[in-house]
Amino acid sequence: MLEAYDLAYETYGTLNAERSNAVLVCHALNAAHHVAGYYADDPKNIGWWDNMIGPGKPLDTDRFFVLGVNNLGGCFGSTGPASINPKTGKHFGSAFPVVTVEDWVNAQARLADRLGIERFAAVMGGSLGAMQALQWAIGHPDRIRNAIAIATAPKLSAQNIAFNEVARQAITTDPDFHGGDYYGHGVIPRRGLRLARMIGHITYLSDDAMMEKFGRSLRSGAIQFHFDVDFEVESYLRYQGDKFAEYFDANTYLLITRALDYFDPAQDYEGDLSRAFARAKARFLVVSFTSDWRFASSRSREVVKALLDNRRDVSYAEIDAPHGHDAFLLDDPRYHALVRAYYDNIGREIAP
Amino acid sequence: MLEAYDLAYETYGTLNAERSNAVLVCHALNAAHHVAGYYADDPKNIGWWDNMIGPGKPLDTDRFFVLGVNNLGGCFGSTGPASINPKTGKHFGSAFPVVTVEDWVNAQARLADRLGIERFAAVMGGSLGAMQALQWAIGHPDRIRNAIAIATAPKLSAQNIAFNEVARQAITTDPDFHGGDYYGHGVIPRRGLRLARMIGHITYLSDDAMMEKFGRSLRSGAIQFHFDVDFEVESYLRYQGDKFAEYFDANTYLLITRALDYFDPAQDYEGDLSRAFARAKARFLVVSFTSDWRFASSRSREVVKALLDNRRDVSYAEIDAPHGHDAFLLDDPRYHALVRAYYDNIGREIAP
């Protein structure tokens, strides 16, 4: 149990007098509250969804008041395992409680209370971010007008859990993990984090996209007969792994993957997703990408079916994009046009 | 360079007077020469393809003389990194040369010379084993009547290489790896091997098969809010990883995954697989499984197309099986009936 916690957040645009134009943008595994734009003193640090959110963009900050939050347990300003536990004066580490998607959403709701936002015009996210949008619709049905769920699934498959488990095992079996209390040892489980990120990256890209991007291209033009980098794809993965291990907290990685594993709104209803959505009142936009094998389109269609079973208002688009799961972060013109049109409708709906 | 090497092999059945009934069975990543049956003093140690090979089985050892070989660089009796280097009196370790599929096939050909086998009735394998069958057809066209290539690809995709790379990085960054010379340190890179095997297992099973086998079943019936085993699939992967780390040599794992990465018979022909197969004279049976995402059916069809471009005699079957890549090791009745019928034809062909 945490007695208190901080949440780091950013806002964009202006909350209107009716407080009706607020949009919450939820992050997935490795992102945070910095969803768009850049800081005056750090112009290279561009928000993770900057192609989607900003003045004149699909989610137009000239029109909407956008809120980005670093989730509870995160490592970008919100209270997390790397924070100092006021009771002990030491890092929480392994003592940080396991958090769920429901916990995140409830914490976001408390933040909304503080900001005077009674009801969001929309809650939007991709992947794990989209699960939060779904959970908002189920858990706080009167506080969300629209749920925009992109590249998501109503729960992880055994294969999804399996990839998370290998990533977690890479971290927890790293000798520098120290049971999660590495902070006091002056080390981080860098090897494990690096492997976790490499595994993740494979699942974010489609086989075809990877083939298109790297093929079998060799770093030095010829096979070297060694176990160091030969292929460009190896270089890419190592680079991504190294970079990630520089800035991400390993305990947060464990927490977030566990929240993914545990998310299953149907579990309280004998696995019946339709019953889980019976309480939802929001309108829904569900978007999937044909080449996404992490959360295939069939998984989004499970959500759509459950919503239709409840006669909810749902728009569904399956975008024929080659990039795999990562497509939700890219600016495919059809995808962005769709989201823009959906927000135009929301704009009309909330117009005073 | 190795000045000499041993190859461990087993034979089943009787070589006929014409020496025309020999079938070479090639292994994939973690198997070896013990392809079928069991030893009198070790009845539980059943060969890895025992459902396929034996008296009265699809590859009938009452009719064919079957040869299984542990490939060069292996860890089940053939000379490999864990063997003692006669020059130094120590384990080869990191000094063991990187071997290729071509090296394996050439070593198998030398073994065939010793055994007096001029021409194999068939060379057969699944996955990496099938790549050896393809390489036999290309590299030794007069020494192979039939190539039976199951669940394979003419080369790895970027995604295939990426999975191998993560597995290798897990091993080589394990502090107990010691640059490949762990033998002298009284340790093995167990953590890395374990992770490598866990990653491998995910790619051997289809998402559906994993969902069917494990679903989201919980080990203890309820979520425990920890990072230890909650889901059955986690328990399965850890068990498989632990077991593998008990018996497999980490350096051999590196060698075999590298041989997989490097295999690309088209590379000497500007990527033109049809030209690579121009030298082949064998008849071919190519089999793929619809749910195999490691080596999807489209990859087998690349082989079939290249063979047809050369007007080679090729039979191709795409088996609608749910098990993923592992299907090649299972006894799907349609699959086994097909292989049986193909061997019946070979039997007629070689009848004196």
Side-chain angles (χ1 to χ4, degrees), chain B residues 59-125:
Chain B
L59 171 45
D60 187 348
T61 52
D62 288 338
R63 195 168 189 180
F64 291 98
F65 175 71
V66 172
L67 171 63
V69 186
N70 183 210
N71 282 327
L72 186 59
C75 52
F76 296 109
S78 293
T79 301
S83 305
I84 299 298
N85 182 347
K87 279 190 200 160
T88 64
K90 294 181 179 167
H91 300 274
F92 279 102
S94 61
F96 198 87
V98 169
V99 288
T100 64
V101 170
E102 292 87 332
D103 293 331
W104 288 339
V105 165
N106 292 337
Q108 291 159 0
R110 285 184 208 113
L111 174 63
D113 292 341
R114 290 281 188 99
L115 298 175
I117 300 163
E118 173 56 30
R119 190 181 187 195
F120 282 107
V123 178
M124 173 179 181

Side-chain angles (χ1 to χ4, degrees), chain A residues 83-94:
Chain A
S83 305
I84 299 298
N85 182 346
K87 278 190 202 162
T88 64
K90 293 180 179 168
H91 300 273
F92 280 100
S94 61

Side-chain angles (χ1 to χ4, degrees), chain A residues 37-53:
Chain A
Y38 57 87
Y39 309 116
D41 60 351
D42 188 8
K44 286 187 178 166
N45 182 4
I46 295 168
W48 59 273
W49 219 351
D50 189 67
N51 61 24
M52 178 68 88
I53 301 163

Side-chain angles (χ1 to χ4, degrees), chain B residues 18-211:
Chain B
E18 299 79 16
R19 298 173 180 275
S20 66
N21 68 335
V23 174
L24 172 65
V25 174
C26 303
H27 69 79
L29 214 158
N30 73 318
H33 50 291
H34 182 38
V35 302
Y38 56 87
Y39 309 117
D41 61 352
D42 188 8
K44 286 187 178 165
N45 182 3
I46 296 168
W48 60 272
W49 219 351
D50 189 68
N51 61 24
M52 178 67 88
I53 301 162
K57 295 187 179 171
L59 171 45
D60 187 348
T61 52
D62 288 338
R63 195 168 189 180
F64 291 98
F65 175 71
V66 172
L67 171 63
V69 186
N70 183 210
N71 282 327
L72 186 59
C75 52
F76 296 109
S78 293
T79 301
S83 305
I84 299 298
N85 182 347
K87 279 190 200 160
T88 64
K90 294 181 179 167
H91 300 274
F92 279 102
S94 61
F96 198 87
V98 169
V99 288
T100 64
V101 170
E102 292 87 332
D103 293 331
W104 288 339
V105 165
N106 292 337
Q108 291 159 0
R110 285 184 208 113
L111 174 63
D113 292 341
R114 290 281 188 99
L115 298 175
I117 300 163
E118 173 56 30
R119 190 181 187 195
F120 282 107
V123 178
M124 173 179 181
S127 192
L128 174 57
M131 291 175 176
Q132 294 161 60
L134 298 179
Q135 179 56 34
W136 263 95
I138 292 169
H140 302 276
D142 295 315
R143 302 194 67 177
I144 168 175
R145 278 184 188 273
N146 292 273
I148 303 180
I150 303 167
T152 196
K155 65 184 177 203
L156 294 199
S157 69
Q159 187 189 74
N160 295 146
I161 295 171
F163 279 119
N164 282 346
E165 168 67 359
V166 180
R168 279 192 299 266
Q169 285 289 296
I171 290 169
T172 61
T173 65
D174 185 325
D176 287 337
F177 182 63
H178 295 288
D181 296 312
Y182 43 85
Y183 311 101
H185 290 80
V187 291
I188 62 165
R190 186 181 307 274
R191 287 173 292 250
L193 259 176
R194 190 172 169 273
L195 291 169
R197 184 61 165 172
M198 291 172 83
I199 294 165
H201 258 279
I202 299 176
T203 70
Y204 303 152
L205 296 175
S206 70
D207 189 13
D208 285 349
M210 240 185 191
M211 207 59 192

Side-chain angles (χ1 to χ4, degrees), chain A residues 24 105 108-109 120 123 132-141 144:
Chain A
L24 172 65
V105 165
Q108 291 159 0
F120 282 107
V123 178
Q132 294 162 59
L134 298 179
Q135 179 56 35
W136 262 96
I138 293 169
H140 301 275
I144 168 175

